[in-house]
Amino acid sequence: MPNAKKTGFRFPSAFTILFALIVLMAALTWIIPAGQYDRVASEALGKDVPVAGSYAPTEANPQGLFDVILAPIAGFYDPMSYAARAIDVSLFVLIIGGFIGVVTATGAIDAGIARAMVRLKGREKWMIPILMALFALGGTTYGMAEETLAFYVLLIPVMIAAKYDALTAVAVILLGAGVGVLGSTINAFSTVIASDAAGVTFADGLLLRLGILLVCFAVTVAFVMRYAARVRADPTASLVYDKKAANEAHFLSDALGETVAYTGLHKIVLGLFALTFAVMIWGVSLGGWWMAEMSGLFLAAAIAIGIVGRQGEGKLVDAFVGGARDLLGVALIIGLARGIVVVMDAGLITDTILHAAETSVAGLSQTAFILVIYWIEVGLSFFVPSTSGLAVLSMPILAHVADFAGVKRELVVTAFATASGMVNLITPTSAVVMGALGIGRVPYERWLRFIWPLLLVLTLVVMAALAMAVTFGAAP
């Protein structure tokens, strides 16, 4: 705020936070003993999985200064084998930026926003539950996460034009898809993999997860709508009010304050725009697509829209490069976040942390056991933000331990899914979280201030559901 008193402390940027976490993880590799589980190949999962009870100390591999410096690079790709890590996600973000740059240059987005605001006048608030329901559907069915990065540059201008703020738009997408992942019902990248690794079917515990999803979704939508209503009634209530003018200048065209013609060409461009996203959703959910195919789709769509919009070769290239430039910082943040996990794995402390979790639940009552399992998965999720990666790492161990505690394995799967989904709403090691906040120009500490009351309520809902499932004979 213009008249706000300046303080001597400025919260560090996302880059500084993530690099500090890399340094911290490297320091821990000198303190935490190194160890590894034996692993066997799993044809069902297509990966090697750890064997319960096989943990053994191993020779330490502490990470030094050179490893810390190399970690952000290694976050993008393995320097030894050149295998991709986060480079595909970062490249996808850059191509998305270029695609949006080309569409924006046609004037179609500005005209479409102006048209939408006229049509929705007085009913703008209903965008929030409808869009969140669509993103939650993607999250609970196929783990919609990285692909949501394509939607921020579309929705943020719409929300700002509707007198909300950039944080509202980020919350609609990130919390919408995130609460879907938290309540993963048939998510192939979460509950299906975890269930296979635990030796149960994904249908086991399905009704419990569906109940958690419905309650958590209702709570989340009410939370976001309440914040959005406050911002619309009083713009100074926005947690990013100090960035209001800058965000309007960045996300909105000056033309939005005037009467913008909505031409036939704009309709064609927006039709191609919508078709591109529809094809992406089909490709990911049914066609087996991932980052390479999605990147190719948006690249081809950018060229097609540039041709339809009669931009010419020079203007098309300039618009694409300019749009990619706007998201360069986001692409770099994604690789930096992955570097944290690289340091942990190279320092051989990931399995040690899992082994500590395995031994900590011995002798607990059934209710205490499942709640401790939930918090163990919360802790592990900070270090392993990939839901599929954490499922393969933890389920073969913790599901085996559940047998000794007399708790059904499907409950451990549900505890894993909810914990992983909860943490991935805030963890700075997640490319999705940091990428979304980077695109929305929302500082990380503002996001934490916004979301902590919701996290508290969602955590209580999940813990109550797990405790009642144990009490009444585990999951249906």
Side-chain angles (χ1 to χ4, degrees):
M1 297 175 63
N3 297 324
K5 183 178 179 180
K6 292 184 178 180
T7 63
F9 175 76
R10 178 181 178 273
F11 198 88
S13 68
F15 290 96
T16 303
I17 294 171
L18 292 174
F19 194 78
L21 287 173
I22 289 176
V23 173
L24 174 62
M25 289 303 118
L28 290 178
T29 64
W30 292 82
I31 300 171
I32 298 176
Q36 286 184 302
Y37 283 97
D38 292 337
R39 281 171 164 76
V40 296
S42 170
E43 292 185 6
L45 300 177
K47 297 180 180 180
D48 291 342
V49 298
V51 178
S54 66
Y55 175 85
T58 188
E59 184 177 353
N61 185 33
Q63 302 294 283
L65 177 61
F66 181 73
D67 299 301
V68 169
I69 294 173
L70 198 60
I73 311 301
F76 288 106
Y77 69 94
D78 187 336
M80 301 299 294
S81 66
Y82 293 95
R85 283 174 174 156
I87 188 65
D88 54 348
V89 180
S90 297
L91 181 60
F92 173 64
V93 167
L94 291 176
I95 291 178
I96 282 291
F99 168 76
I100 296 300
V102 171
V103 177
T104 301
T106 67
I109 288 182
D110 295 338
I113 290 172
R115 179 83 164 188
M117 290 305 97
V118 172
R119 292 287 186 89
L120 288 171
K121 191 170 182 62
R123 303 189 302 274
E124 294 89 349
K125 68 178 182 180
W126 297 113
M127 289 191 296
I128 295 174
I130 292 172
L131 291 173
M132 290 186 72
L134 293 174
F135 286 117
L137 182 62
T140 194
T141 53
Y142 68 91
M144 191 178 194
E146 286 89 347
E147 54 271 42
T148 61
L149 294 173
F151 291 91
Y152 289 94
V153 285
L154 169 64
L155 187 58
I156 292 172
V158 174
M159 287 296 180
I160 292 178
K163 308 304 180 185
Y164 298 119
D165 61 1
L167 179 54
T168 301
V170 171
V172 166
I173 301 174
L174 186 54
L175 293 182
V179 78
V181 174
L182 183 154
S184 289
T185 51
I186 56 172
N187 179 0
F189 301 102
S190 178
T191 52
V192 173
I193 289 179
S195 297
D196 285 343
V200 296
T201 71
F202 71 87
D204 295 324
L206 179 61
L207 293 182
L208 174 64
R209 293 191 295 272
L210 180 60
I212 291 173
L213 172 64
L214 294 176
V215 174
C216 289
F217 176 76
V219 169
T220 304
V221 168
F223 179 81
V224 175
M225 292 187 72
R226 178 175 178 270
Y227 171 81
R230 288 170 51 205
V231 169
R232 200 156 193 255
D234 178 13
T236 62
S238 168
L239 291 178
V240 290
Y241 178 68
D242 59 320
K243 299 178 179 293
K244 183 175 186 294
N247 283 343
E248 289 175 351
H250 179 77
F251 291 110
L252 298 181
S253 167
D254 293 337
L256 288 179
E258 309 167 1
T259 301
V260 182
Y262 187 58
T263 66
L265 178 59
H266 292 152
K267 293 179 181 179
I268 295 173
V269 170
L270 291 178
L272 291 173
F273 186 89
L275 178 62
T276 302
F277 282 87
V279 172
M280 180 194 75
I281 294 171
W282 171 87
V284 173
S285 58
L286 299 175
W289 286 14
W290 197 227
M291 289 299 157
E293 293 83 358
M294 289 193 295
S295 297
L297 169 66
F298 281 99
L299 178 60
I303 295 172
I305 289 174
I307 293 173
V308 170
R310 299 188 292 274
Q311 291 182 346
E313 183 270 340
K315 187 176 180 180
L316 170 59
V317 172
D318 289 344
F320 189 90
V321 173
R325 186 187 300 118
D326 288 341
L327 295 187
L328 178 60
V330 177
L332 294 176
I333 281 175
I334 289 170
L336 192 59
R338 185 63 180 271
I340 299 170
V341 180
V342 170
V343 168
M344 287 183 56
D345 289 343
L348 302 175
I349 63 173
T350 304
D351 282 10
T352 301
I353 294 172
L354 178 61
H355 176 64
E358 178 187 4
T359 57
S360 67
V361 294
L364 296 177
S365 67
Q366 292 180 337
T367 301
F369 172 86
I370 196 61
L371 295 181
V372 170
I373 287 290
Y374 171 78
W375 284 106
I376 285 173
E377 293 287 6
V378 166
L380 291 174
S381 295
F382 276 102
F383 302 107
V384 188
S386 166
T387 53
S388 59
L390 181 60
V392 171
L393 176 68
S394 65
M395 281 300 98
I397 305 298
L398 299 183
H400 177 77
V401 177
D403 295 339
F404 296 101
V407 174
K408 292 185 177 181
R409 292 188 174 195
E410 58 262 32
L411 262 184
V412 177
V413 171
T414 301
F416 147 78
T418 52
S420 177
M422 192 81 71
V423 171
N424 279 323
L425 297 175
I426 59 168
T427 177
T429 61
S430 167
V432 176
V433 172
M434 302 311 290
L437 299 182
I439 295 172
R441 297 156 67 97
V442 176
Y444 182 65
E445 82 278 7
R446 311 279 182 91
W447 178 249
L448 295 181
R449 283 173 57 192
F450 167 76
I451 199 176
W452 78 261
L454 176 64
L455 289 181
L456 178 60
V457 175
L458 294 182
T459 298
L460 293 175
V461 169
V462 169
M463 291 179 65
L466 292 173
M468 287 190 294
V470 170
T471 302
F472 295 105

